[in-house]
Amino acid sequence: MSNHASDVLHGRGDRRGPARLLPFIGPAVIASIAYMDPGNFATNIQGGAQFGYSLLWVILAANLMAMLIQNLSAKVGIATGRNLPELIRDRWPRPLTRFYWVQAELVAMATDLAEFLGAAIAITLLTGLPLFWGAVITAIITFWLLTLQRRGFRPLEIAIGAFVLIIGGAYMVQFLVAHPSLGALGRGFVPTFQGVDAVYLAVGIIGATVMPHVIYLHSALTQGRVATADDSQQLHLSRLNRVDVILSMGLAGLINMSMLAVAAATFFGKGIEDAGNLETAYQTLTPLLGPVAAIAFAIALLASGISSSAVGTMAGQVIMQGFVGFSIPLWLRRTITMLPAFIVILLGLEPTSTLVLSQVILSFGVPFALVPLLLFTARRDVMGVLVSRPWVTVLGWIFAGLIIALNGYLLWGTLFT
């Protein structure tokens, strides 16, 4: 535990105001990247292009769900000193734990495929290089980013935070250039649907909100990060981590809303049917808003893809170590998880379509992460003083039921219609 964090928990130190929070900001910053990955780019841009500002309220609702779920995950690590996969391994039958490991690994690899492809597409858009070489450059950058873990948790958190700021800054530029209608923005937060297609796209936005791999990862990022001596310190630490979640996930939500608002201001009513295709979105931005907006879009996509791909690799390590008790070198895991992306590229498959398909695979893993999270956080013998209040548990199950049902609906519609 850092001296600054220890001083804050013990009521000591000379830091005042927001500076007192700095030692505790970081885990949710890393987790928030999953809510700004290339899959979010595709769904948000398509939503704005097809239905204008009318689905902004869906992003807000999805973000509130994400805040609750990520806060519960963070509390698991604080309360138990274990991450969620370790708790499952400790308390559930071994065959079930093995099944959990296999499905979690497959989901994590599918997620990484989308993120890796997103970064490779961005490099291709910015440089004109073939997609294969964009993937090679992505691999080199993510390898470098993951080496920061050797220096402790702080350097990587700072690097990921920098990527978040780059994404936010790039979308601020696009927002200013696009000049979204403030009145229409406000009306977008009034719940409404413009037909069945809008419902289906809203399902896609909410259904892809909760990423199973970051539920597992967030619990690992808070376990043992700051030691606590008694229940009161644990409660205080949990409150400080809640601030981390609200700030980080709130910023992710604002960025997602900006994506949709910029797409609405730029593409809505222009007859652009496939704006969710990342290459089309980039190519169309140049004549509509100018090269600055297009370059800002590609930079945001690059920062999103690289950082979320690195976070996905970290989550894979937690999944393997937690469920089966062993790990492999990070460079080997990075190599294995990027192979599907290179196969997709070498086979000449359409990258954005593959990215969308990977999100469908991801939806399979949502209930497997949510159900044990809610079961464990409702148990006092597991969580101690950080056990969820009954209303939190009920709200969590409502959210989980909604997300699982929406994922099932999205899965059915994608596979059978």
Side-chain angles (χ1 to χ4, degrees):
M1 177 173 59
S2 71
N3 291 333
H4 292 314
S6 177
D7 289 343
V8 171
L9 285 182
H10 287 87
R12 301 190 302 261
D14 54 1
R15 291 190 176 190
R16 295 290 180 268
R20 293 173 63 83
L21 292 172
L22 290 179
F24 307 93
I25 300 295
V29 173
I30 290 180
S32 73
I33 277 293
Y35 297 88
M36 297 176 275
D37 74 357
N40 292 97
F41 275 64
T43 55
N44 293 331
I45 292 170
Q46 187 63 43
Q50 198 168 348
F51 300 105
Y53 304 93
S54 65
L55 295 180
L56 279 170
W57 70 272
V58 176
I59 296 178
L60 176 61
N63 198 242
L64 293 174
M65 294 181 195
M67 284 184 182
L68 175 67
I69 291 165
Q70 294 303 145
N71 184 57
L72 291 178
S73 177
K75 284 172 64 176
V76 166
I78 296 169
T80 68
R82 310 284 281 170
N83 57 56
L84 185 56
E86 288 173 338
L87 277 181
I88 293 172
R89 186 183 73 191
D90 293 344
R91 294 172 179 268
W92 287 9
R94 185 170 180 179
L96 183 57
T97 301
R98 295 283 177 173
F99 166 76
Y100 253 78
W101 171 54
V102 172
Q103 64 82 26
E105 289 281 14
L106 291 175
V107 168
M109 289 184 69
T111 306
D112 190 64
L113 172 62
E115 295 157 348
F116 195 88
L117 280 174
I121 290 170
I123 290 174
T124 297
L125 295 176
L126 286 168
T127 65
L129 290 170
L131 192 59
F132 175 84
W133 291 110
V136 170
I137 295 172
T138 299
I140 293 170
I141 297 173
T142 52
F143 270 121
W144 168 79
L145 190 58
L146 289 168
T147 62
L148 295 178
Q149 274 193 297
R150 299 174 186 170
R151 306 178 189 177
F153 59 81
R154 209 55 173 167
L156 183 60
E157 289 174 355
I158 292 171
I160 295 295
F163 279 113
V164 172
L165 293 178
I166 289 171
I167 299 169
Y171 259 93
M172 182 178 293
V173 170
Q174 291 184 71
F175 192 90
L176 293 174
V177 173
H179 296 297
S181 165
L182 295 182
L185 276 172
R187 290 190 294 274
F189 292 102
V190 178
T192 183
F193 286 116
Q194 298 178 10
V196 175
D197 288 343
V199 175
Y200 189 74
L201 192 52
V203 167
I205 292 172
I206 297 178
T209 293
V210 178
M211 298 292 193
H213 66 293
V214 289
I215 295 177
Y216 297 129
L217 177 62
H218 204 161
S219 62
L221 294 172
T222 56
Q223 71 174 126
R225 176 186 169 95
V226 179
T228 54
D230 52 40
D231 289 351
S232 64
Q233 287 190 13
Q234 227 178 49
L235 287 167
H236 191 192
L237 178 58
S238 179
R239 287 192 291 269
L240 292 168
N241 272 271
R242 191 181 309 138
V243 174
D244 182 28
V245 169
I246 292 171
L247 292 177
S248 301
M249 302 308 297
L251 179 57
L254 288 174
I255 290 172
N256 278 298
M257 292 174 201
S258 296
M259 289 182 195
L260 188 141
V262 169
T266 308
F267 303 129
F268 182 59
K270 305 286 198 312
I272 303 169
E273 299 297 330
D274 59 342
N277 182 296
L278 299 175
E279 296 98 324
T280 301
Y282 174 82
Q283 292 161 2
T284 312
L285 276 170
T286 301
L288 291 178
L289 295 183
V292 172
I295 291 172
F297 167 79
I299 290 173
L301 180 61
L302 177 61
S304 165
I306 289 173
S307 54
S308 57
S309 184
V311 169
T313 303
M314 293 168 59
Q317 286 289 83
V318 170
I319 287 167
M320 177 178 284
Q321 182 277 325
F323 283 125
V324 292
F326 66 89
S327 60
I328 59 177
L330 208 57
W331 66 267
L332 180 57
R333 171 168 288 279
R334 173 70 277 179
T335 301
I336 293 171
T337 55
M338 71 185 183
L339 284 178
F342 277 97
I343 292 171
V344 166
I345 293 168
L346 292 173
L347 290 177
L349 300 178
E350 208 286 310
T352 300
S353 299
T354 305
L355 187 151
V356 172
L357 178 61
S358 73
Q359 301 300 297
V360 174
I361 297 172
L362 180 150
S363 69
F364 279 109
V366 171
F368 294 108
L370 277 179
V371 169
L373 176 70
L374 292 168
L375 289 174
F376 286 134
T377 52
R379 291 177 53 175
R380 185 169 291 277
D381 62 319
V382 174
M383 299 293 291
V385 293
L386 295 186
V387 63
S388 294
R389 296 179 180 179
W391 70 267
V392 173
T393 301
V394 170
L395 191 59
W397 281 113
I398 292 172
F399 285 173
L402 178 62
I403 292 167
I404 292 168
L406 292 178
N407 270 292
Y409 176 74
L410 182 64
L411 199 59
W412 177 270
T414 302
L415 296 178
F416 300 107
T417 63

